[in-house]
Amino acid sequence: MIAFSSTWFLDGFTHPLETPSHLILLVGLGVLLGQQSGAYFIRNLLLFCVAVIAGFTINNYLSLRWNNELILLVIALLVSLSVVLRLDYRPLWVQLITLLLCIASGIMLGIDSSPIVIPGLGENTFYNWLLGAAMGVYLATIVIASMSALFRTLFQGIILRVLGSWIATSALFVLTLLMVKPS
């Protein structure tokens, strides 16, 4: 039986909101999902949720030595540029690009999310942290996507496109800071 620990759950819940690359990607993805209509929105959101779980699983069983921050920021940049372009979601190629961005975002968020491992901690704390991280990612994405859906038609979607350009700028700033070598 798994015991519930609210401290580890809350640490996991706030993790995506404390990491700049996660937060930038979640805001961009939420806006991208909010630009879509009902069926596309639900399909892509469910696929994103499954991809986050797949990322957690990959992170648990494989030790990948990737620069996750860099990958997350590049994906955030691509997502935000998709928001700025505001392509019509009916063509198949646009749907495929959006699906790939949702899947890549979810997997990389899952791969880059792991609790601090302290010797002697049980599985309960690990799973509580992952549950909290998953709930934080899902809730942040759903809230941002819902707010974006409300603004989708306001001023012909200009507000979301401007927000997308700010997200792209933020991703570029953080990418630039990652590339600078401290002296």
Coordinates of all heavy atoms in Angstrom, one line a residue, residues 83-159:
V83 N 2.3 29.2 -32.0 CA 1.3 30.1 -31.5 C 1.2 31.4 -32.3 O 0.2 31.9 -32.7 CB 1.5 30.3 -30.0 CG1 0.6 31.5 -29.5 CG2 1.3 29.1 -29.2
V84 N 2.4 31.9 -32.6 CA 2.5 33.2 -33.3 C 1.9 33.0 -34.7 O 1.2 33.9 -35.2 CB 3.9 33.7 -33.3 CG1 4.1 34.9 -34.3 CG2 4.4 34.1 -31.9
L85 N 2.2 31.9 -35.4 CA 1.8 31.7 -36.7 C 0.3 31.4 -36.8 O -0.4 31.7 -37.8 CB 2.5 30.5 -37.4 CG 4.0 30.7 -37.7 CD1 4.6 29.4 -38.2 CD2 4.1 31.8 -38.7
R86 N -0.3 30.8 -35.8 CA -1.7 30.5 -35.7 C -2.3 29.9 -37.0 O -3.1 30.4 -37.6 CB -2.5 31.8 -35.3 CG -4.0 31.5 -35.0 CD -4.7 32.7 -34.6 NE -6.1 32.4 -34.4 CZ -7.1 33.2 -34.5 NH1 -6.9 34.4 -34.9 NH2 -8.3 32.8 -34.2
L87 N -1.7 28.7 -37.3 CA -2.1 28.0 -38.5 C -3.5 27.4 -38.3 O -3.9 27.1 -37.2 CB -1.1 26.9 -38.8 CG 0.4 27.4 -39.0 CD1 1.3 26.2 -39.0 CD2 0.5 28.2 -40.3
D88 N -4.1 27.3 -39.4 CA -5.4 26.6 -39.4 C -5.2 25.1 -39.1 O -4.4 24.4 -39.6 CB -6.1 26.7 -40.8 CG -7.4 26.1 -40.9 OD1 -8.1 25.9 -39.8 OD2 -7.9 25.7 -42.0
Y89 N -6.0 24.6 -38.1 CA -5.8 23.3 -37.6 C -6.4 22.2 -38.4 O -6.3 21.0 -38.0 CB -6.2 23.2 -36.1 CG -5.3 24.0 -35.2 CD1 -5.6 25.2 -34.8 CD2 -4.1 23.5 -34.9 CE1 -4.7 26.0 -34.1 CE2 -3.2 24.2 -34.1 CZ -3.5 25.4 -33.7 OH -2.6 26.2 -33.0
R90 N -7.1 22.5 -39.5 CA -7.8 21.4 -40.3 C -6.8 20.7 -41.2 O -7.0 19.5 -41.3 CB -8.9 22.0 -41.1 CG -10.1 22.4 -40.2 CD -11.1 23.1 -40.9 NE -10.6 24.4 -41.2 CZ -11.4 25.5 -41.4 NH1 -12.7 25.3 -41.3 NH2 -10.9 26.7 -41.6
P91 N -5.8 21.2 -41.8 CA -4.9 20.4 -42.6 C -4.2 19.4 -41.8 O -3.8 19.6 -40.6 CB -3.9 21.4 -43.2 CG -4.6 22.7 -43.0 CD -5.5 22.7 -41.9
L92 N -3.9 18.2 -42.4 CA -3.3 17.1 -41.7 C -1.9 17.4 -41.2 O -1.5 17.0 -40.1 CB -3.3 15.9 -42.5 CG -2.8 14.6 -41.9 CD1 -3.6 14.2 -40.7 CD2 -2.8 13.5 -42.9
W93 N -1.1 18.1 -42.0 CA 0.2 18.4 -41.6 C 0.3 19.3 -40.4 O 1.2 19.2 -39.6 CB 1.0 19.0 -42.8 CG 0.6 20.3 -43.3 CD1 -0.4 20.6 -44.2 CD2 1.1 21.6 -42.9 NE1 -0.5 22.0 -44.3 CE2 0.4 22.6 -43.6 CE3 2.2 21.9 -42.0 CZ2 0.7 23.9 -43.4 CZ3 2.4 23.3 -41.8 CH2 1.7 24.3 -42.5
V94 N -0.6 20.2 -40.3 CA -0.6 21.1 -39.1 C -1.0 20.2 -37.8 O -0.4 20.4 -36.8 CB -1.6 22.3 -39.3 CG1 -1.7 23.1 -38.0 CG2 -1.2 23.1 -40.4
Q95 N -2.0 19.3 -38.0 CA -2.3 18.4 -36.9 C -1.2 17.6 -36.5 O -0.9 17.4 -35.3 CB -3.5 17.6 -37.3 CG -4.8 18.3 -37.5 CD -5.9 17.4 -37.9 OE1 -5.9 16.2 -37.6 NE2 -6.9 17.9 -38.6
L96 N -0.4 17.1 -37.5 CA 0.8 16.2 -37.1 C 1.8 17.0 -36.4 O 2.4 16.5 -35.4 CB 1.3 15.6 -38.4 CG 0.5 14.5 -39.0 CD1 1.1 14.0 -40.3 CD2 0.4 13.3 -38.0
I97 N 2.1 18.2 -36.8 CA 3.1 19.1 -36.1 C 2.7 19.3 -34.7 O 3.5 19.2 -33.8 CB 3.3 20.4 -36.9 CG1 4.1 20.1 -38.2 CG2 4.1 21.4 -36.1 CD1 4.2 21.3 -39.1
T98 N 1.4 19.7 -34.5 CA 0.9 19.9 -33.2 C 0.9 18.7 -32.3 O 1.3 18.8 -31.1 CB -0.6 20.5 -33.3 OG1 -0.6 21.6 -34.2 CG2 -1.0 20.9 -31.9
L99 N 0.6 17.5 -32.9 CA 0.7 16.3 -32.1 C 2.1 16.0 -31.7 O 2.4 15.6 -30.6 CB 0.2 15.1 -33.0 CG -1.3 14.9 -33.1 CD1 -1.7 13.8 -34.1 CD2 -1.9 14.6 -31.7
L100 N 3.1 16.2 -32.6 CA 4.5 15.9 -32.3 C 5.0 16.9 -31.2 O 5.7 16.5 -30.4 CB 5.3 16.1 -33.6 CG 5.2 14.9 -34.6 CD1 6.0 15.2 -35.9 CD2 5.7 13.6 -34.0
L101 N 4.5 18.2 -31.3 CA 4.9 19.1 -30.3 C 4.4 18.7 -28.9 O 5.1 18.8 -27.9 CB 4.5 20.5 -30.7 CG 5.3 21.2 -31.8 CD1 4.7 22.5 -32.2 CD2 6.8 21.4 -31.4
C102 N 3.1 18.3 -28.9 CA 2.5 17.8 -27.6 C 3.2 16.6 -27.1 O 3.5 16.6 -25.9 CB 1.0 17.5 -27.8 SG 0.0 19.0 -28.1
I103 N 3.5 15.7 -27.9 CA 4.2 14.4 -27.5 C 5.6 14.7 -27.0 O 6.0 14.3 -25.9 CB 4.2 13.4 -28.6 CG1 2.7 12.9 -28.8 CG2 5.1 12.2 -28.2 CD1 2.6 12.0 -30.0
A104 N 6.3 15.5 -27.8 CA 7.7 15.9 -27.4 C 7.7 16.7 -26.1 O 8.6 16.4 -25.2 CB 8.4 16.6 -28.5
S105 N 6.8 17.6 -26.0 CA 6.7 18.4 -24.7 C 6.5 17.5 -23.5 O 7.1 17.6 -22.5 CB 5.6 19.4 -24.8 OG 5.8 20.3 -25.9
G106 N 5.5 16.6 -23.6 CA 5.2 15.7 -22.5 C 6.3 14.8 -22.1 O 6.6 14.7 -20.9
I107 N 6.9 14.2 -23.1 CA 8.0 13.3 -22.8 C 9.2 14.0 -22.2 O 9.7 13.5 -21.2 CB 8.4 12.5 -24.1 CG1 7.3 11.5 -24.5 CG2 9.8 11.8 -23.9 CD1 7.6 10.8 -25.8
M108 N 9.5 15.1 -22.7 CA 10.7 15.9 -22.2 C 10.4 16.4 -20.8 O 11.3 16.5 -20.0 CB 11.2 17.0 -23.2 CG 11.9 16.4 -24.3 SD 13.3 15.3 -23.9 CE 14.3 16.2 -22.9
L109 N 9.2 16.9 -20.6 CA 8.8 17.3 -19.2 C 8.9 16.2 -18.2 O 9.4 16.3 -17.1 CB 7.4 17.9 -19.2 CG 7.3 19.4 -19.7 CD1 5.8 19.7 -19.9 CD2 8.0 20.3 -18.8
G110 N 8.5 15.0 -18.7 CA 8.6 13.8 -17.8 C 10.0 13.4 -17.6 O 10.4 13.0 -16.4
I111 N 10.8 13.4 -18.6 CA 12.2 13.0 -18.5 C 13.0 14.0 -17.6 O 13.8 13.6 -16.8 CB 12.9 12.9 -19.9 CG1 12.4 11.7 -20.6 CG2 14.4 12.9 -19.7 CD1 12.9 11.6 -22.0
D112 N 12.7 15.3 -17.6 CA 13.4 16.3 -16.8 C 12.8 16.4 -15.4 O 13.4 17.2 -14.7 CB 13.4 17.6 -17.6 CG 14.4 18.6 -17.0 OD1 15.5 18.2 -16.8 OD2 14.0 19.8 -16.8
S113 N 11.8 15.7 -15.1 CA 11.2 15.8 -13.7 C 11.6 14.6 -12.9 O 11.2 13.5 -13.2 CB 9.7 15.9 -13.8 OG 9.3 17.0 -14.5
S114 N 12.4 14.8 -11.9 CA 12.7 13.7 -11.0 C 13.0 14.4 -9.6 O 13.6 15.4 -9.5 CB 13.9 12.9 -11.5 OG 15.1 13.8 -11.7
P115 N 12.6 13.7 -8.6 CA 12.8 14.2 -7.2 C 14.2 14.1 -6.8 O 15.0 13.3 -7.4 CB 11.9 13.3 -6.3 CG 11.8 12.0 -7.1 CD 11.9 12.4 -8.6
I116 N 14.6 14.8 -5.7 CA 15.9 14.6 -5.1 C 16.0 13.3 -4.5 O 15.1 12.9 -3.7 CB 16.1 15.7 -4.1 CG1 16.1 17.1 -4.7 CG2 17.4 15.5 -3.4 CD1 16.1 18.2 -3.8
V117 N 17.0 12.5 -4.9 CA 17.1 11.1 -4.3 C 18.0 11.2 -3.1 O 19.2 11.5 -3.1 CB 17.7 10.2 -5.4 CG1 17.9 8.8 -4.8 CG2 16.8 10.2 -6.6
I118 N 17.4 10.8 -2.0 CA 18.1 10.8 -0.7 C 18.1 9.3 -0.3 O 17.1 8.7 -0.3 CB 17.4 11.6 0.4 CG1 17.3 13.1 -0.1 CG2 18.1 11.5 1.7 CD1 16.4 14.0 0.8
P119 N 19.3 8.8 0.0 CA 19.4 7.4 0.5 C 18.5 7.1 1.6 O 18.4 7.9 2.6 CB 20.9 7.2 0.9 CG 21.6 8.3 0.1 CD 20.6 9.4 0.0
G120 N 17.7 6.0 1.6 CA 16.9 5.6 2.6 C 15.4 6.0 2.4 O 14.5 5.6 3.2
L121 N 15.1 6.9 1.4 CA 13.8 7.2 1.1 C 13.0 6.0 0.5 O 13.6 5.3 -0.4 CB 13.7 8.4 0.2 CG 14.0 9.8 0.8 CD1 13.9 10.8 -0.3 CD2 13.1 10.1 1.9
G122 N 11.8 5.9 0.9 CA 11.0 4.8 0.3 C 10.4 5.1 -1.0 O 10.5 6.2 -1.5
E123 N 9.8 4.1 -1.6 CA 9.1 4.3 -2.9 C 7.9 5.3 -2.7 O 7.6 6.0 -3.7 CB 8.6 3.0 -3.4 CG 9.7 2.1 -3.9 CD 9.1 0.8 -4.5 OE1 7.9 0.7 -4.6 OE2 9.9 -0.1 -4.8
N124 N 7.3 5.3 -1.6 CA 6.2 6.2 -1.4 C 6.5 7.6 -1.6 O 5.7 8.3 -2.3 CB 5.6 6.1 0.1 CG 5.0 4.7 0.3 OD1 4.6 4.0 -0.6 ND2 4.9 4.4 1.6
T125 N 7.6 8.1 -1.1 CA 8.0 9.5 -1.4 C 8.2 9.8 -2.8 O 7.8 10.8 -3.3 CB 9.2 9.9 -0.5 OG1 10.3 9.0 -0.9 CG2 9.0 9.8 0.9
F126 N 8.9 8.8 -3.5 CA 9.1 9.0 -4.9 C 7.8 9.1 -5.7 O 7.7 10.0 -6.6 CB 10.0 7.8 -5.4 CG 10.3 7.8 -6.9 CD1 11.3 8.7 -7.4 CD2 9.7 7.0 -7.7 CE1 11.6 8.7 -8.7 CE2 10.0 7.0 -9.1 CZ 10.9 7.8 -9.6
Y127 N 6.9 8.2 -5.4 CA 5.6 8.2 -6.2 C 4.8 9.4 -5.8 O 4.0 9.9 -6.6 CB 4.9 6.9 -6.0 CG 5.6 5.7 -6.6 CD1 5.9 4.6 -5.9 CD2 5.9 5.8 -8.0 CE1 6.5 3.5 -6.5 CE2 6.6 4.7 -8.6 CZ 6.9 3.6 -7.8 OH 7.5 2.5 -8.4
N128 N 4.8 9.8 -4.5 CA 4.1 11.0 -4.2 C 4.6 12.2 -4.9 O 3.8 13.1 -5.3 CB 4.2 11.3 -2.6 CG 3.3 10.4 -1.9 OD1 2.1 10.1 -2.3 ND2 3.7 9.9 -0.7
W129 N 5.9 12.3 -5.0 CA 6.5 13.5 -5.8 C 6.1 13.4 -7.2 O 5.7 14.4 -7.8 CB 8.1 13.4 -5.6 CG 8.7 14.7 -6.1 CD1 9.1 15.7 -5.3 CD2 9.1 15.0 -7.4 NE1 9.6 16.7 -6.1 CE2 9.7 16.3 -7.4 CE3 9.0 14.4 -8.7 CZ2 10.1 17.0 -8.5 CZ3 9.4 15.1 -9.8 CH2 10.0 16.3 -9.7
L130 N 6.2 12.2 -7.9 CA 5.8 12.1 -9.3 C 4.3 12.4 -9.5 O 3.9 13.1 -10.5 CB 6.1 10.7 -9.8 CG 7.5 10.4 -10.1 CD1 7.7 9.0 -10.6 CD2 8.1 11.4 -11.1
L131 N 3.5 12.0 -8.5 CA 2.0 12.3 -8.6 C 1.8 13.8 -8.5 O 1.0 14.4 -9.3 CB 1.3 11.6 -7.5 CG -0.2 11.8 -7.5 CD1 -0.9 11.3 -8.7 CD2 -0.9 11.2 -6.2
G132 N 2.5 14.4 -7.6 CA 2.4 15.9 -7.5 C 2.9 16.6 -8.7 O 2.3 17.6 -9.2
A133 N 4.0 16.2 -9.3 CA 4.6 16.8 -10.5 C 3.6 16.6 -11.7 O 3.4 17.6 -12.4 CB 5.9 16.2 -10.9
A134 N 3.0 15.4 -11.8 CA 2.0 15.2 -12.9 C 0.8 16.1 -12.7 O 0.4 16.7 -13.7 CB 1.6 13.7 -12.9
M135 N 0.3 16.2 -11.5 CA -0.8 17.0 -11.3 C -0.5 18.5 -11.5 O -1.3 19.3 -12.0 CB -1.4 16.9 -9.8 CG -2.0 15.5 -9.5 SD -3.4 15.2 -10.6 CE -2.9 13.8 -11.5
G136 N 0.7 18.9 -11.1 CA 1.1 20.3 -11.4 C 1.2 20.6 -12.9 O 0.7 21.7 -13.3
V137 N 1.8 19.7 -13.6 CA 1.9 19.9 -15.1 C 0.5 19.9 -15.7 O 0.2 20.8 -16.5 CB 2.8 18.8 -15.7 CG1 2.6 18.7 -17.2 CG2 4.2 19.0 -15.3
Y138 N -0.3 19.0 -15.3 CA -1.7 18.9 -15.9 C -2.5 20.1 -15.6 O -3.1 20.7 -16.5 CB -2.4 17.6 -15.5 CG -1.8 16.3 -15.9 CD1 -2.0 15.2 -15.1 CD2 -0.9 16.2 -16.9 CE1 -1.4 14.0 -15.5 CE2 -0.3 15.1 -17.3 CZ -0.6 13.9 -16.6 OH 0.0 12.7 -16.9
L139 N -2.5 20.5 -14.3 CA -3.3 21.6 -13.9 C -2.9 22.9 -14.5 O -3.7 23.7 -15.0 CB -3.3 21.7 -12.4 CG -4.3 22.7 -11.8 CD1 -5.7 22.3 -12.1 CD2 -4.1 22.9 -10.3
A140 N -1.6 23.1 -14.6 CA -1.1 24.4 -15.2 C -1.4 24.4 -16.7 O -1.9 25.5 -17.2 CB 0.5 24.4 -15.0
T141 N -1.3 23.3 -17.4 CA -1.6 23.3 -18.8 C -3.1 23.5 -19.0 O -3.5 24.3 -19.9 CB -1.2 21.9 -19.4 OG1 0.2 21.7 -19.1 CG2 -1.4 21.9 -20.9
I142 N -3.9 22.8 -18.2 CA -5.4 23.0 -18.4 C -5.9 24.4 -18.1 O -6.7 25.0 -18.8 CB -6.1 21.9 -17.5 CG1 -5.9 20.5 -18.1 CG2 -7.6 22.2 -17.4 CD1 -6.4 19.4 -17.2
V143 N -5.3 25.0 -17.0 CA -5.7 26.4 -16.6 C -5.3 27.3 -17.7 O -6.1 28.2 -18.2 CB -5.2 26.7 -15.3 CG1 -5.3 28.2 -15.0 CG2 -5.8 26.0 -14.2
I144 N -4.1 27.2 -18.2 CA -3.6 28.2 -19.2 C -4.4 27.9 -20.5 O -4.7 28.9 -21.2 CB -2.1 28.0 -19.4 CG1 -1.4 28.5 -18.1 CG2 -1.6 28.8 -20.6 CD1 0.1 28.1 -18.1
A145 N -4.6 26.7 -20.9 CA -5.3 26.4 -22.1 C -6.8 26.9 -22.0 O -7.3 27.4 -23.0 CB -5.3 24.9 -22.4
S146 N -7.4 26.8 -20.9 CA -8.8 27.2 -20.7 C -8.9 28.8 -20.8 O -9.8 29.3 -21.5 CB -9.3 26.8 -19.4 OG -9.4 25.4 -19.3
M147 N -7.9 29.4 -20.2 CA -7.9 30.9 -20.3 C -7.6 31.3 -21.7 O -8.2 32.3 -22.2 CB -6.8 31.5 -19.3 CG -7.2 31.4 -17.9 SD -6.0 31.9 -16.7 CE -4.9 33.0 -17.5
S148 N -6.7 30.6 -22.4 CA -6.4 30.9 -23.8 C -7.6 30.7 -24.7 O -7.8 31.4 -25.7 CB -5.2 30.1 -24.3 OG -4.1 30.4 -23.5
A149 N -8.4 29.6 -24.4 CA -9.6 29.4 -25.2 C -10.6 30.5 -25.1 O -11.3 30.8 -26.0 CB -10.2 28.1 -24.7
L150 N -10.6 31.2 -23.9 CA -11.5 32.3 -23.7 C -11.1 33.5 -24.6 O -11.9 34.3 -25.1 CB -11.6 32.7 -22.3 CG -12.2 31.7 -21.3 CD1 -12.1 32.2 -19.9 CD2 -13.7 31.5 -21.7
F151 N -9.8 33.7 -24.8 CA -9.2 34.8 -25.5 C -9.0 34.5 -27.0 O -8.5 35.3 -27.7 CB -7.9 35.3 -24.9 CG -8.0 35.9 -23.5 CD1 -7.4 35.3 -22.5 CD2 -8.8 37.0 -23.3 CE1 -7.5 35.9 -21.2 CE2 -9.0 37.5 -22.1 CZ -8.3 37.0 -21.0
R152 N -9.3 33.2 -27.4 CA -9.0 32.8 -28.8 C -9.7 33.7 -29.8 O -9.1 34.0 -30.8 CB -9.5 31.4 -28.9 CG -9.4 30.8 -30.3 CD -9.8 29.4 -30.4 NE -11.1 29.1 -29.9 CZ -11.4 28.0 -29.2 NH1 -10.5 27.0 -29.1 NH2 -12.6 27.8 -28.8
T153 N -10.9 34.1 -29.6 CA -11.6 34.9 -30.6 C -11.6 36.4 -30.3 O -12.0 37.2 -31.1 CB -13.1 34.5 -30.6 OG1 -13.7 34.6 -29.3 CG2 -13.2 33.0 -31.1
L154 N -11.1 36.8 -29.1 CA -11.0 38.2 -28.8 C -9.9 38.9 -29.6 O -8.8 38.4 -29.7 CB -10.6 38.3 -27.3 CG -10.8 39.7 -26.7 CD1 -12.2 40.2 -26.7 CD2 -10.3 39.7 -25.3
F155 N -10.3 39.9 -30.3 CA -9.4 40.7 -31.2 C -8.7 39.8 -32.2 O -7.6 39.9 -32.6 CB -8.3 41.5 -30.4 CG -8.9 42.5 -29.5 CD1 -8.7 42.3 -28.1 CD2 -9.6 43.6 -30.0 CE1 -9.2 43.3 -27.3 CE2 -10.1 44.5 -29.1 CZ -9.9 44.4 -27.7
Q156 N -9.5 38.8 -32.7 CA -9.1 37.8 -33.7 C -7.8 37.1 -33.3 O -7.0 36.7 -34.1 CB -8.8 38.5 -35.1 CG -10.0 39.2 -35.6 CD -9.8 40.0 -36.9 OE1 -8.6 40.3 -37.2 NE2 -10.8 40.3 -37.6
G157 N -7.7 36.8 -32.0 CA -6.6 36.0 -31.5 C -5.3 36.8 -31.4 O -4.2 36.1 -31.1
I158 N -5.3 38.1 -31.5 CA -4.0 38.8 -31.5 C -3.4 38.7 -30.1 O -2.2 38.7 -30.0 CB -4.3 40.3 -31.8 CG1 -4.8 40.4 -33.3 CG2 -3.0 41.2 -31.6 CD1 -3.8 40.1 -34.3
I159 N -4.2 38.7 -29.1 CA -3.6 38.7 -27.7 C -2.8 37.4 -27.5 O -1.7 37.4 -27.0 CB -4.8 38.7 -26.7 CG1 -5.5 40.1 -26.7 CG2 -4.3 38.4 -25.3 CD1 -6.7 40.2 -25.9

